[in-house]
Amino acid sequence: MNWLPKDKEKRKQLVLALLSTVVLLVVILLGLIRPQYEAISKTNVKIAAARAKLQSVEDTIKKADTLSLELADANLTLSHFEADMASGDVYSWTYDTIRSFKADYKVEIPTIGQPAMSDVDLLPRFPYKQLKVTVNGTAYYHDLGKFIADFENKFPHIRVVNLTLEPASDAGANNEKLAFSMDIIALIKPNAS
């Protein structure tokens, strides 16, 4: 400590100057430099978020061609499914569809009811309308089961609901024949009247 002045007054001033300098450096560090480091770290977080967003956009751009092909494929599939949906005169479509399909089956359908159009009641805000028609007829149990299964498999947008079976009254000696009544619900192609 021989570098300190011998005079008490000068020593006091030197210690006070050193202490003031340390306090001033701490104030500068805490008041000026630390907020700058916090601002830099916030900026680094924003930069990282922007880089992640940029990477996401670049990935989306890279996938654009693939997504475009998938969209075209989905539109083609949708138009394929919509090709045999009800359109135009729905009564004529219903009558022609059921009559032409039943030609290969041993099912008698003498009455096809009047189709009623409504909103789809299975899913809310579904973009298609539905038609519901009641069909009555007679058939053997296995023939009717095969007819319904093949009908729903051929037309994936049509469902058979409310099927009721009872012995046919005009069966006579052939008591295995059944009278049936069923509702057929089909989707209607959009923009069809």
Side-chain angles (χ1 to χ4, degrees), residues 27-112:
V27 167
I28 289 173
L29 178 69
L30 293 178
L32 298 175
I33 296 175
R34 188 170 174 205
Q36 293 300 319
Y37 278 124
E38 289 175 1
I40 289 171
S41 88
K42 287 179 184 177
T43 303
N44 287 339
V45 168
K46 289 179 183 178
I47 289 172
R51 282 187 178 146
K53 186 174 181 180
L54 176 64
Q55 185 64 42
S56 172
V57 169
E58 287 175 347
D59 291 344
T60 302
I61 290 171
K62 288 176 185 175
K63 294 177 185 177
D65 291 336
T66 306
L67 292 174
S68 177
L69 292 173
E70 288 176 7
L71 177 63
D73 188 40
N75 283 335
L76 182 64
T77 303
L78 181 62
S79 66
H80 172 72
F81 281 124
E82 284 182 344
D84 58 352
M85 279 187 180
S87 61
D89 180 12
V90 291
Y91 181 76
S92 174
W93 179 88
T94 304
Y95 186 81
D96 291 344
T97 301
I98 293 172
R99 291 290 176 187
S100 65
F101 186 79
K102 83 162 192 75
D104 296 335
Y105 298 89
K106 297 176 185 171
V107 175
E108 297 170 16
I109 302 177
T111 58
I112 298 174

